mmCIF file of all heavy atoms in Angstrom:
data_model
loop_
_atom_site.group_PDB
_atom_site.id
_atom_site.type_symbol
_atom_site.label_atom_id
_atom_site.label_comp_id
_atom_site.label_asym_id
_atom_site.label_seq_id
_atom_site.Cartn_x
_atom_site.Cartn_y
_atom_site.Cartn_z
ATOM 1 N N LEU I 118 43.528 71.647 13.659
ATOM 2 C CA LEU I 118 44.872 72.192 13.845
ATOM 3 C C LEU I 118 44.811 73.657 14.262
ATOM 4 O O LEU I 118 45.523 74.083 15.175
ATOM 5 C CB LEU I 118 45.669 72.048 12.550
ATOM 6 C CG LEU I 118 47.137 72.405 12.617
ATOM 7 C CD1 LEU I 118 47.881 71.451 13.545
ATOM 8 C CD2 LEU I 118 47.734 72.363 11.232
ATOM 9 N N PHE I 119 43.936 74.421 13.628
ATOM 10 C CA PHE I 119 43.736 75.828 13.975
ATOM 11 C C PHE I 119 43.256 75.960 15.419
ATOM 12 O O PHE I 119 43.757 76.783 16.185
ATOM 13 C CB PHE I 119 42.721 76.432 13.003
ATOM 14 C CG PHE I 119 42.536 77.903 13.123
ATOM 15 C CD1 PHE I 119 43.498 78.779 12.672
ATOM 16 C CD2 PHE I 119 41.371 78.422 13.698
ATOM 17 C CE1 PHE I 119 43.323 80.149 12.781
ATOM 18 C CE2 PHE I 119 41.190 79.781 13.820
ATOM 19 C CZ PHE I 119 42.165 80.648 13.358
ATOM 20 N N TRP I 120 42.314 75.110 15.812
ATOM 21 C CA TRP I 120 41.795 75.122 17.185
ATOM 22 C C TRP I 120 42.900 74.779 18.179
ATOM 23 O O TRP I 120 43.031 75.419 19.219
ATOM 24 C CB TRP I 120 40.630 74.138 17.298
ATOM 25 C CG TRP I 120 40.137 73.982 18.696
ATOM 26 C CD1 TRP I 120 39.351 74.839 19.399
ATOM 27 C CD2 TRP I 120 40.423 72.901 19.576
ATOM 28 N NE1 TRP I 120 39.125 74.350 20.660
ATOM 29 C CE2 TRP I 120 39.775 73.160 20.790
ATOM 30 C CE3 TRP I 120 41.159 71.731 19.452
ATOM 31 C CZ2 TRP I 120 39.862 72.292 21.859
ATOM 32 C CZ3 TRP I 120 41.232 70.881 20.518
ATOM 33 C CH2 TRP I 120 40.593 71.163 21.707
ATOM 34 N N TRP I 121 43.739 73.762 17.853
ATOM 35 C CA TRP I 121 44.805 73.360 18.759
ATOM 36 C C TRP I 121 45.828 74.485 18.934
ATOM 37 O O TRP I 121 46.308 74.720 20.046
ATOM 38 C CB TRP I 121 45.505 72.105 18.245
ATOM 39 C CG TRP I 121 46.610 71.672 19.149
ATOM 40 C CD1 TRP I 121 46.506 70.941 20.293
ATOM 41 C CD2 TRP I 121 48.003 71.981 18.999
ATOM 42 N NE1 TRP I 121 47.745 70.770 20.855
ATOM 43 C CE2 TRP I 121 48.682 71.403 20.075
ATOM 44 C CE3 TRP I 121 48.726 72.683 18.057
ATOM 45 C CZ2 TRP I 121 50.053 71.513 20.231
ATOM 46 C CZ3 TRP I 121 50.097 72.792 18.200
ATOM 47 C CH2 TRP I 121 50.743 72.202 19.287
ATOM 48 N N VAL I 122 46.157 75.173 17.862
ATOM 49 C CA VAL I 122 47.148 76.249 17.936
ATOM 50 C C VAL I 122 46.668 77.367 18.855
ATOM 51 O O VAL I 122 47.442 77.901 19.648
ATOM 52 C CB VAL I 122 47.459 76.788 16.524
ATOM 53 C CG1 VAL I 122 48.202 78.112 16.591
ATOM 54 C CG2 VAL I 122 48.253 75.774 15.724
ATOM 55 N N PHE I 123 45.417 77.705 18.779
ATOM 56 C CA PHE I 123 44.915 78.803 19.602
ATOM 57 C C PHE I 123 44.569 78.396 21.024
ATOM 58 O O PHE I 123 44.446 79.244 21.897
ATOM 59 C CB PHE I 123 43.711 79.477 18.939
ATOM 60 C CG PHE I 123 44.134 80.395 17.837
ATOM 61 C CD1 PHE I 123 43.910 80.056 16.519
ATOM 62 C CD2 PHE I 123 44.782 81.581 18.117
ATOM 63 C CE1 PHE I 123 44.313 80.891 15.501
ATOM 64 C CE2 PHE I 123 45.201 82.430 17.101
ATOM 65 C CZ PHE I 123 44.961 82.081 15.785
ATOM 66 N N THR I 124 44.433 77.107 21.310
ATOM 67 C CA THR I 124 44.130 76.683 22.670
ATOM 68 C C THR I 124 45.332 76.079 23.379
ATOM 69 O O THR I 124 45.229 75.754 24.562
ATOM 70 C CB THR I 124 42.976 75.667 22.680
ATOM 71 O OG1 THR I 124 43.341 74.539 21.894
ATOM 72 C CG2 THR I 124 41.700 76.285 22.170
ATOM 73 N N ALA I 125 46.460 75.940 22.695
ATOM 74 C CA ALA I 125 47.657 75.375 23.325
ATOM 75 C C ALA I 125 48.200 76.354 24.357
ATOM 76 O O ALA I 125 48.120 77.567 24.192
ATOM 77 C CB ALA I 125 48.711 75.074 22.271
ATOM 78 N N LYS I 126 48.760 75.795 25.416
ATOM 79 C CA LYS I 126 49.301 76.637 26.476
ATOM 80 C C LYS I 126 50.618 77.250 26.031
ATOM 81 O O LYS I 126 51.433 76.622 25.374
ATOM 82 C CB LYS I 126 49.511 75.801 27.732
ATOM 83 C CG LYS I 126 48.207 75.298 28.292
ATOM 84 C CD LYS I 126 48.409 74.539 29.568
ATOM 85 C CE LYS I 126 47.038 74.071 30.022
ATOM 86 N NZ LYS I 126 47.043 73.492 31.322
ATOM 87 N N LYS I 127 50.811 78.490 26.387
ATOM 88 C CA LYS I 127 52.005 79.232 25.982
ATOM 89 C C LYS I 127 53.276 78.591 26.541
ATOM 90 O O LYS I 127 54.319 78.590 25.891
ATOM 91 C CB LYS I 127 51.926 80.684 26.443
ATOM 92 C CG LYS I 127 50.742 81.437 25.891
ATOM 93 C CD LYS I 127 50.854 81.616 24.411
ATOM 94 C CE LYS I 127 49.650 82.383 23.915
ATOM 95 N NZ LYS I 127 49.612 82.522 22.491
ATOM 96 N N ALA I 128 53.206 78.035 27.744
ATOM 97 C CA ALA I 128 54.384 77.396 28.337
ATOM 98 C C ALA I 128 54.806 76.177 27.514
ATOM 99 O O ALA I 128 56.007 75.953 27.307
ATOM 100 C CB ALA I 128 54.093 76.992 29.777
ATOM 101 N N TYR I 129 53.850 75.404 27.052
ATOM 102 C CA TYR I 129 54.157 74.232 26.229
ATOM 103 C C TYR I 129 54.789 74.663 24.905
ATOM 104 O O TYR I 129 55.779 74.072 24.460
ATOM 105 C CB TYR I 129 52.886 73.417 25.976
ATOM 106 C CG TYR I 129 53.113 72.270 25.025
ATOM 107 C CD1 TYR I 129 53.789 71.125 25.448
ATOM 108 C CD2 TYR I 129 52.665 72.330 23.712
ATOM 109 C CE1 TYR I 129 54.008 70.073 24.581
ATOM 110 C CE2 TYR I 129 52.882 71.284 22.840
ATOM 111 C CZ TYR I 129 53.548 70.148 23.278
ATOM 112 O OH TYR I 129 53.764 69.118 22.410
ATOM 113 N N ILE I 130 54.235 75.685 24.275
ATOM 114 C CA ILE I 130 54.777 76.181 23.007
ATOM 115 C C ILE I 130 56.208 76.675 23.201
ATOM 116 O O ILE I 130 57.090 76.389 22.390
ATOM 117 C CB ILE I 130 53.890 77.310 22.439
ATOM 118 C CG1 ILE I 130 52.473 76.817 22.185
ATOM 119 C CG2 ILE I 130 54.507 77.909 21.191
ATOM 120 C CD1 ILE I 130 52.350 75.803 21.086
#
Side-chain angles (χ1 to χ4, degrees):
L118 187 65
F119 187 73
W120 174 77
W121 180 82
V122 166
F123 282 108
T124 59
K126 295 183 181 188
K127 300 293 180 184
Y129 175 75
I130 300 293

